[in-house]
Amino acid sequence: MKAIFLLFALAAASLCAAEKPNIIVILADDLGIGDVKCYGGERCLIDTPNIDALAAGGLRFTDAHVNASVCGPTRQAIMTGRYNWRFGAPTNNGPWGFCGPRPGTERSTLGKVMKRAGYGTGYIGKWHLGTIMPTLDGKTQGPTNVDYSKPLSYGPLQFGFDHSFILPGSLDMFPYAFARNHAWQGEITAQKGWSAFNRVGPAAQDFEDHEVLETFYTEAETYIGKQNGGEPFFLFLALTAPHTPTSPGVEWQGKSALGVYGDFVMEVDHAVERVMNALKRQGLDQNTLVLFSSDHGPASYAGNILKATPAQMLQLEAKGHHSNGPHRGYKFSVYEGGLRVPLIAHWPGVIPEEETCDALVGTNDLMATLAEISGAALGESEAPDSISFAKLLRDPTAEGTRQNLIMESVLHFVVRDGPWKLCLCPGSGVPAASEVAAGNDPMPEAAWKTALAQFEGKPKDADLLKPPFVQLFDLSNDPNEDRNLAVEHPERVKQMIALLQTQIDNGRSTPGPKLANDKNVPLVNINDKRLPGFVQKRLRAP
């Protein structure tokens, strides 16, 4: 009888393992919600048939957000299920693609959770989560001292990925070279730079910007082609487009009537097609969950002019294309155009077709969601800011579990609570006098001058958390964030400030034991370096 029971137990375990879906996350870089036809509609002038087909065969979230409107912080939260501002400063930190890791980021990651669930794990594409590179002089890694004959000593492997093929940073951040399973590829003896910012730095001799996107989806095809339907796999495919330099592959140049920006987005769409076709060839398309999203909204300096040009996104809007959809703002800002992103889920036989879900979700929820789907149990200290939306995949009309979300511009906190959104700054929340943030109106100088003029007397720390220094919007009635209601709803402002402070103090936003942040996390005060210089000077004056 014991033998028979054991056989039944083994058979049951085998069946559970077989039912686990393969999982692929495709993350675009700087892709706006309005760059995708199934979201942008008539205000989108770019053809995205494959992303649209993914949505038509599955579920499209309409209230999905990133936790920050800038690349690195978003990726940290996705990978750890923990808000990025809880981590300390990076170590071994060099410029651009030489950025070092934030201590503790690798403690609990998507890769490690999926490995624990019995998955093979792969990471392909833009990394931007910090590396440690052996150097010739033993000093911090940088443009002149990396020993490219030696593999990375910190990277995807420490995050739980069995296989990796990465670019250390963004496509316009040197070093311009790939690393496969931590080993550098090619002869990194050249100096190259690209359009947009023309950052010249170390590069592999054969590295070309317009070939990078195709290199990544070809690598993804190869990875999928090695899967045989036995052990389930998890693949994170981090694309480098349409982030500048706007560099579509040769076969995609001239494809879009909108221009080169449209060409690049069309190649992103093609990457989805290549992944789906690779799954079909392996007979894995029916048992694979594919999730598609972006790391934040579009960059206002991107467009059809290859050089990064302040506010050139407005030129596309003049043609009728709105990368930020119906929303206000772009990358770096507190507004929805920088924080609201496409999120599409496709899982045949499980997710209903042609559905939409209006529940609030964050991309930082991926860790808890995939843990639930894969059967991995999370420890009490794991994914402290991640809430599973797995039930919404099966029933998009169900009530969402997430009710609030903490977000950031590149500088300032944003609190979402139900339909209410509070921004802890008087303007767009972008860096003062930053040309690449231009177009995010109002810019800090104008916004702070107006706020200071409206305030009677000299503000103190507590005053900076009240109108006219904060903005409160009701997104259910004002999706474009035109009407600041902070003066009319001071108690709502106070409640949302308290919500943020509680989540800071608890070290988590989910139920569980209190945790410690890795650093002190202030809201805002008169000595805050996030404030424009002239504001700090005025507030400190006797």
Side-chain angles (χ1 to χ4, degrees):
M1 289 294 293
K2 287 183 178 179
I4 293 174
F5 178 79
L6 181 60
L7 286 173
F8 274 115
L10 290 172
S14 176
L15 180 61
C16 288
E19 290 177 344
K20 288 182 178 181
N22 306 303
I23 300 172
I24 299 177
V25 174
I26 304 174
L27 188 71
D29 196 5
D30 286 23
L31 181 79
I33 195 169
D35 285 328
V36 180
K37 198 76 170 180
C38 63
Y39 280 96
E42 294 181 354
R43 291 164 63 92
C44 175
L45 301 185
I46 304 173
D47 293 328
T48 55
N50 299 291
I51 299 173
D52 298 344
L54 199 70
L59 174 62
R60 182 169 60 89
F61 288 89
T62 63
D63 199 7
H65 289 73
V66 289
N67 60 287
S69 56
V70 65
C71 303
T74 294
R75 292 162 193 272
Q76 290 156 19
I78 290 174
M79 195 58 61
T80 65
R82 188 183 192 220
Y83 288 139
N84 63 285
W85 42 266
R86 299 195 192 279
F87 292 98
T91 58
N92 208 57
N93 198 33
W96 305 119
F98 294 103
C99 59
R102 292 181 180 270
T105 315
E106 76 291 339
R107 276 196 303 261
S108 176
T109 66
L110 264 176
K112 289 184 176 181
V113 167
M114 299 309 291
K115 276 179 69 70
R116 204 160 67 215
Y119 280 65
T121 54
Y123 191 104
I124 295 170
K126 171 181 173 175
W127 180 240
H128 217 181
L129 286 162
T131 59
I132 295 179
M133 308 173 186
T135 57
L136 297 168
D137 55 10
K139 297 180 180 179
T140 299
Q141 59 204 32
T144 61
N145 67 345
V146 170
D147 186 349
Y148 295 104
S149 69
K150 295 179 181 177
L152 304 176
S153 58
Y154 181 102
L157 181 63
Q158 281 66 40
F159 282 66
F161 291 99
D162 302 319
H163 172 82
S164 64
F165 184 88
I166 66 166
L167 183 67
S170 298
L171 187 52
D172 57 4
M173 295 181 178
F174 49 74
Y176 306 115
F178 301 118
R180 183 189 300 280
N181 298 326
H182 284 213
W184 293 103
Q185 305 295 292
E187 297 182 17
I188 308 173
T189 55
Q191 290 284 311
K192 296 185 179 183
W194 316 110
S195 62
F197 299 102
N198 193 33
R199 295 172 181 141
V200 177
Q205 289 284 358
D206 59 352
F207 190 98
E208 296 294 339
D209 62 327
H210 63 271
E211 296 176 351
V212 171
L213 191 56
E214 182 176 5
T215 298
F216 285 147
Y217 55 71
T218 300
E219 284 285 330
E221 284 180 315
T222 301
Y223 181 85
I224 295 168
K226 293 178 180 178
Q227 310 304 317
N228 56 20
E231 176 188 64
F233 71 89
F234 169 60
L235 172 62
F236 198 106
L237 175 58
L239 304 176
T240 49
H243 193 292
T244 55
T246 309
S247 308
V250 173
E251 294 186 6
W252 292 93
Q253 295 170 14
K255 288 283 187 179
S256 173
L258 185 63
V260 66
Y261 183 85
D263 297 342
F264 214 16
V265 173
M266 287 184 71
E267 191 172 9
V268 170
D269 181 75
H270 178 63
V272 173
E273 179 183 26
R274 295 281 284 264
V275 167
M276 299 307 290
N277 286 343
L279 289 171
K280 290 175 184 176
R281 286 195 296 270
Q282 291 301 106
L284 300 172
D285 55 310
Q286 296 302 303
N287 190 37
T288 300
L289 166 62
V290 178
L291 292 153
F292 175 86
S293 191
S294 177
D295 64 348
H296 49 69
S300 61
Y301 54 84
N304 288 333
I305 302 171
L306 296 186
K307 181 180 179 181
T309 304
Q312 73 153 313
M313 189 61 71
L314 300 180
Q315 297 178 22
L316 297 184
E317 293 172 11
K319 293 184 175 183
H321 178 77
H322 298 261
S323 289
N324 52 4
H327 306 294
R328 173 186 184 182
Y330 309 92
K331 177 180 180 180
F332 303 134
S333 82
V334 294
Y335 299 126
E336 291 294 283
L339 292 165
R340 191 177 295 232
V341 292
L343 177 59
I344 296 169
H346 183 276
W347 186 2
V350 177
I351 296 177
E353 295 185 2
E354 297 188 65
E355 290 282 352
T356 58
C357 180
D358 298 330
L360 174 65
V361 296
T363 53
N364 48 297
D365 293 330
L366 285 176
M367 192 160 173
T369 302
L370 300 187
E372 180 177 345
I373 290 170
S374 66
L378 291 173
E380 288 185 333
S381 64
E382 290 189 291
D385 300 304
S386 188
I387 299 173
S388 175
F389 56 78
K391 70 175 182 180
L392 299 176
L393 300 181
R394 296 175 173 84
D395 181 8
T397 63
E399 183 179 354
T401 304
R402 177 173 287 286
Q403 299 301 311
N404 57 72
L405 180 68
I406 308 303
M407 298 175 282
E408 287 181 291
S409 70
V410 73
L411 293 175
H412 298 286
F413 276 119
V414 175
V415 184
R416 174 74 184 273
D417 187 21
W420 293 97
K421 177 178 174 182
L422 178 69
C423 307
L424 298 193
C425 60
S428 56
V430 300
S434 172
E435 287 193 359
V436 296
N440 282 298
D441 296 321
M443 289 292 278
E445 183 169 354
W448 280 96
K449 282 183 177 178
T450 299
L452 289 169
Q454 292 173 349
F455 186 84
E456 294 183 7
K458 182 180 176 182
K460 299 179 180 179
D461 286 350
D463 296 319
L464 297 180
L465 298 175
K466 302 173 184 177
F469 302 106
V470 300
Q471 302 166 86
L472 179 69
F473 303 106
D474 176 5
L475 296 180
S476 62
N477 294 307
D478 181 22
N480 198 50
E481 303 170 278
D482 290 323
R483 298 184 297 278
N484 182 0
L485 303 176
V487 171
E488 293 143 84
H489 296 277
E491 285 304 310
R492 165 54 61 179
V493 171
K494 188 176 179 180
Q495 290 169 14
M496 294 175 75
I497 293 288
L499 172 66
L500 171 58
Q501 190 63 63
T502 297
Q503 294 193 9
I504 290 173
D505 294 343
N506 288 343
R508 68 186 312 142
S509 55
T510 56
K514 192 172 183 178
L515 301 172
N517 299 312
D518 298 349
K519 64 179 181 181
N520 180 46
V521 183
L523 294 183
V524 64
N525 57 64
I526 61 174
N527 296 310
D528 202 320
K529 293 181 179 179
R530 292 172 292 185
L531 305 182
F534 77 91
V535 175
Q536 294 180 51
K537 185 176 180 179
R538 172 169 169 177
L539 296 181
R540 292 173 187 168

